[in-house]
Amino acid sequence: QQQVKQSPQSLIVQKGGIPIINCAYENTAFDYFPWYQQFPGKGPALLIAIRPDVSEKKEGRFTISFNKSAKQFSLHIMDSQPGDSATYFCAASYSGNEKLTFGTGTRLTIIP
Amino acid sequence: GAGVSQSPSNKVTEKGKDVELRCDPISGHTALYWYRQSLGQGLEFLIYFQGNSAPDKSGLPSDRFSAERTGGSVSTLTIQRTQQEDSAVYLCASSSLTGINTEAFFGQGTRLTVV
């Protein structure tokens, strides 16, 4: 019930391409879905987050798409750059219990 | 402080020894989390403190692991009788739980190596 499944495990994309990372959850009580970005040697940092009352959220080149009926959400990175190379984690939590449950992470490499 | 501070940044210890890892959360943050990240792996939840409520210890892997949070601020994660499989980066995070944005801010972690 608490699990968040993330795919792919790793992803290599040409500069300018649109990497897509997918997550699926089981617990219908989840109502907060953030994405975290982690660079080597650093702690994860919040990138963008969505609540289930909207199906899409954009912040700069980053977009979250959310499908409540399928219990899936995804991260899209437009016009990807080598500086976007990092590990990305999706997560979920619910009101009243803000403990974040993380996906297993996706190592993204953007090649010039 | 400006962010979540963890110490030490690196710790090498002999198998069987006890270690203490410290976390200073962002001032005013009521929630504090400990996660473990093994090499190239995801974030494994360990324990969660929320205000004065009893902590959620459901992620602690064994009774060798314990954590406390004194005065609602600083937290210490203790690992007794360390084993080689305990080697990992231990990450602490805190959040303010405004009810609108529950962003968790992470420290840079403590890299623990058990030899």
Side-chain angles (χ1 to χ4, degrees), chain A residues 23-43:
Chain A
C23 285
Y25 63 96
E26 298 174 356
N27 188 347
T28 56
F30 284 145
D31 61 3
Y32 176 68
F33 303 90
W35 285 89
Y36 280 77
Q37 180 187 55
Q38 185 180 31
F39 293 105
K42 304 291 186 182

Side-chain angles (χ1 to χ4, degrees), chain A residues 36-83:
Chain A
Y36 280 77
Q37 180 187 55
Q38 185 180 31
F39 293 105
K42 304 291 186 182
L46 180 67
L47 187 63
I48 185 173
I50 197 169
R51 294 195 180 273
D53 52 344
V54 296
S55 60
E56 185 177 276
K57 183 175 181 179
K58 290 184 180 181
E59 286 188 3
R61 297 184 293 108
F62 300 92
T63 299
I64 299 178
S65 297
F66 185 82
N67 186 330
K68 188 174 182 178
S69 60
K71 294 186 287 185
Q72 295 176 347
F73 58 109
S74 60
L75 176 70
H76 302 230
I77 305 175
M78 307 302 175
D79 186 27
S80 58
Q81 302 296 314

Side-chain angles (χ1 to χ4, degrees), chain B residues 40-85:
Chain B
Q41 300 300 309
L43 294 161
E44 176 188 6
F45 166 76
L46 296 177
I47 189 168
Y48 167 58
F49 296 90
Q50 165 35 344
N52 295 321
S53 302
D56 178 351
K57 303 180 181 180
S58 61
L60 295 178
S62 77
D63 58 8
R64 296 187 295 105
F65 288 73
S66 63
E68 61 180 22
R69 187 178 186 193
T70 54
S73 182
V74 171
S75 178
T76 302
L77 177 69
T78 301
I79 309 173
Q80 295 179 311
R81 305 180 303 281
T82 52
Q83 303 296 312
Q84 288 186 328
E85 61 262 29

Side-chain angles (χ1 to χ4, degrees), chain B residues 9-42:
Chain B
S9 55
N10 282 284
K11 176 73 176 178
V12 180
T13 189
E14 292 182 352
K15 177 182 173 182
K17 300 284 190 182
D18 298 351
V19 295
E20 285 189 352
L21 312 180
R22 177 186 169 101
C23 174
D24 281 275
I26 293 173
S27 178
H29 279 190
T30 58
L32 186 147
Y33 320 73
W34 283 98
Y35 290 86
R36 179 168 70 174
Q37 187 173 30
S38 300
L39 184 62
Q41 300 300 309

Side-chain angles (χ1 to χ4, degrees), chain B residues 86-105:
Chain B
D86 299 334
S87 296
V89 175
Y90 289 81
L91 289 160
C92 175
S94 69
S95 64
S96 61
L97 300 182
T98 62
I100 299 175
N101 179 357
T102 56
E103 176 178 359
F105 294 83

